[in-house]
Short mmCIF file of all heavy atoms in Angstrom, two decimals:
data_model
loop_
_atom_site.label_atom_id
_atom_site.label_comp_id
_atom_site.label_asym_id
_atom_site.label_seq_id
_atom_site.Cartn_x
_atom_site.Cartn_y
_atom_site.Cartn_z
N ALA A 247 4.99 3.11 -20.68
CA ALA A 247 6.37 3.22 -20.20
C ALA A 247 7.12 4.34 -20.93
O ALA A 247 8.13 4.85 -20.43
CB ALA A 247 7.11 1.90 -20.34
N ASP A 248 6.66 4.71 -22.13
CA ASP A 248 7.26 5.80 -22.91
C ASP A 248 6.50 7.07 -22.62
O ASP A 248 5.32 7.20 -23.03
CB ASP A 248 7.22 5.45 -24.39
CG ASP A 248 7.95 6.46 -25.27
OD1 ASP A 248 8.27 7.57 -24.76
OD2 ASP A 248 8.17 6.17 -26.45
N ALA A 249 7.11 8.03 -21.98
CA ALA A 249 6.44 9.27 -21.60
C ALA A 249 5.91 10.02 -22.80
O ALA A 249 4.94 10.78 -22.68
CB ALA A 249 7.41 10.15 -20.80
N GLU A 250 6.50 9.81 -23.98
CA GLU A 250 6.03 10.48 -25.18
C GLU A 250 4.59 10.09 -25.54
O GLU A 250 3.92 10.81 -26.27
CB GLU A 250 6.96 10.14 -26.36
CG GLU A 250 8.31 10.79 -26.27
CD GLU A 250 8.23 12.31 -26.37
OE1 GLU A 250 7.51 12.80 -27.28
OE2 GLU A 250 8.87 12.98 -25.53
N ASN A 251 4.13 8.94 -25.05
CA ASN A 251 2.79 8.49 -25.36
C ASN A 251 1.71 9.15 -24.51
O ASN A 251 0.53 8.99 -24.75
CB ASN A 251 2.70 6.96 -25.24
CG ASN A 251 3.57 6.25 -26.26
OD1 ASN A 251 3.76 6.74 -27.36
ND2 ASN A 251 4.10 5.10 -25.88
N ASP A 252 2.14 9.94 -23.51
CA ASP A 252 1.25 10.80 -22.71
C ASP A 252 0.08 10.03 -22.10
O ASP A 252 -1.05 10.50 -22.08
CB ASP A 252 0.72 11.94 -23.61
CG ASP A 252 0.62 13.25 -22.85
OD1 ASP A 252 0.75 13.22 -21.62
OD2 ASP A 252 0.42 14.30 -23.48
N VAL A 253 0.37 8.83 -21.61
CA VAL A 253 -0.68 8.02 -20.99
C VAL A 253 -0.90 8.48 -19.55
O VAL A 253 0.08 8.59 -18.77
CB VAL A 253 -0.33 6.51 -21.02
CG1 VAL A 253 -1.35 5.71 -20.23
CG2 VAL A 253 -0.27 6.01 -22.47
N SER A 254 -2.14 8.74 -19.21
CA SER A 254 -2.50 9.10 -17.86
C SER A 254 -3.70 8.27 -17.41
O SER A 254 -4.65 8.11 -18.18
CB SER A 254 -2.83 10.59 -17.71
OG SER A 254 -1.67 11.38 -17.86
N ILE A 255 -3.66 7.77 -16.18
CA ILE A 255 -4.80 7.14 -15.53
C ILE A 255 -4.86 7.79 -14.16
O ILE A 255 -3.97 7.61 -13.34
CB ILE A 255 -4.61 5.61 -15.43
CG1 ILE A 255 -4.43 4.97 -16.79
CG2 ILE A 255 -5.81 4.99 -14.70
CD1 ILE A 255 -4.14 3.48 -16.77
N TRP A 256 -5.93 8.57 -13.94
CA TRP A 256 -6.07 9.30 -12.68
C TRP A 256 -7.41 8.98 -12.04
O TRP A 256 -8.45 8.88 -12.72
CB TRP A 256 -6.03 10.82 -12.92
CG TRP A 256 -4.78 11.32 -13.55
CD1 TRP A 256 -3.56 10.72 -13.63
CD2 TRP A 256 -4.62 12.63 -14.17
NE1 TRP A 256 -2.67 11.55 -14.28
CE2 TRP A 256 -3.29 12.70 -14.63
CE3 TRP A 256 -5.47 13.68 -14.39
CZ2 TRP A 256 -2.79 13.84 -15.29
CZ3 TRP A 256 -5.00 14.81 -15.06
CH2 TRP A 256 -3.68 14.88 -15.49
N LEU A 257 -7.39 8.83 -10.72
CA LEU A 257 -8.61 8.81 -9.92
C LEU A 257 -8.77 10.19 -9.29
O LEU A 257 -7.85 10.67 -8.61
CB LEU A 257 -8.51 7.75 -8.82
CG LEU A 257 -8.43 6.29 -9.26
CD1 LEU A 257 -8.14 5.40 -8.05
CD2 LEU A 257 -9.69 5.84 -9.96
N ILE A 258 -9.91 10.82 -9.51
CA ILE A 258 -10.12 12.18 -9.05
C ILE A 258 -11.23 12.18 -7.98
O ILE A 258 -12.30 11.60 -8.21
CB ILE A 258 -10.52 13.11 -10.22
CG1 ILE A 258 -9.43 13.13 -11.29
CG2 ILE A 258 -10.84 14.52 -9.72
CD1 ILE A 258 -9.80 13.87 -12.56
N LYS A 259 -10.97 12.84 -6.86
CA LYS A 259 -11.94 12.98 -5.80
C LYS A 259 -12.06 14.47 -5.50
O LYS A 259 -11.06 15.13 -5.16
CB LYS A 259 -11.52 12.21 -4.56
CG LYS A 259 -12.43 12.37 -3.37
CD LYS A 259 -11.88 11.62 -2.16
CE LYS A 259 -12.70 11.83 -0.91
NZ LYS A 259 -12.11 11.12 0.28
N MET A 260 -13.27 15.01 -5.60
CA MET A 260 -13.52 16.42 -5.38
C MET A 260 -14.41 16.61 -4.16
O MET A 260 -15.46 15.96 -4.04
CB MET A 260 -14.16 17.06 -6.59
CG MET A 260 -13.34 16.98 -7.86
SD MET A 260 -14.18 17.68 -9.31
CE MET A 260 -14.24 19.42 -8.82
N ALA A 261 -14.01 17.51 -3.27
CA ALA A 261 -14.85 17.85 -2.13
C ALA A 261 -16.12 18.56 -2.61
O ALA A 261 -16.16 19.11 -3.73
CB ALA A 261 -14.08 18.73 -1.16
N PRO A 262 -17.19 18.57 -1.81
CA PRO A 262 -18.39 19.33 -2.18
C PRO A 262 -18.04 20.77 -2.54
O PRO A 262 -17.27 21.43 -1.83
CB PRO A 262 -19.26 19.25 -0.91
CG PRO A 262 -18.84 17.98 -0.26
CD PRO A 262 -17.35 17.88 -0.50
N HIS A 263 -18.59 21.24 -3.64
CA HIS A 263 -18.46 22.60 -4.14
C HIS A 263 -17.04 22.95 -4.57
O HIS A 263 -16.75 24.12 -4.84
CB HIS A 263 -18.94 23.61 -3.07
CG HIS A 263 -20.31 23.31 -2.55
ND1 HIS A 263 -21.44 23.34 -3.35
CD2 HIS A 263 -20.74 22.95 -1.31
CE1 HIS A 263 -22.50 23.04 -2.63
NE2 HIS A 263 -22.10 22.77 -1.39
#
Side-chain angles (χ1 to χ4, degrees):
D248 185 347
E250 289 295 313
N251 295 328
D252 218 348
V253 173
S254 290
I255 302 174
W256 300 342
L257 296 172
I258 301 173
K259 177 183 176 182
M260 300 177 66
H263 308 296

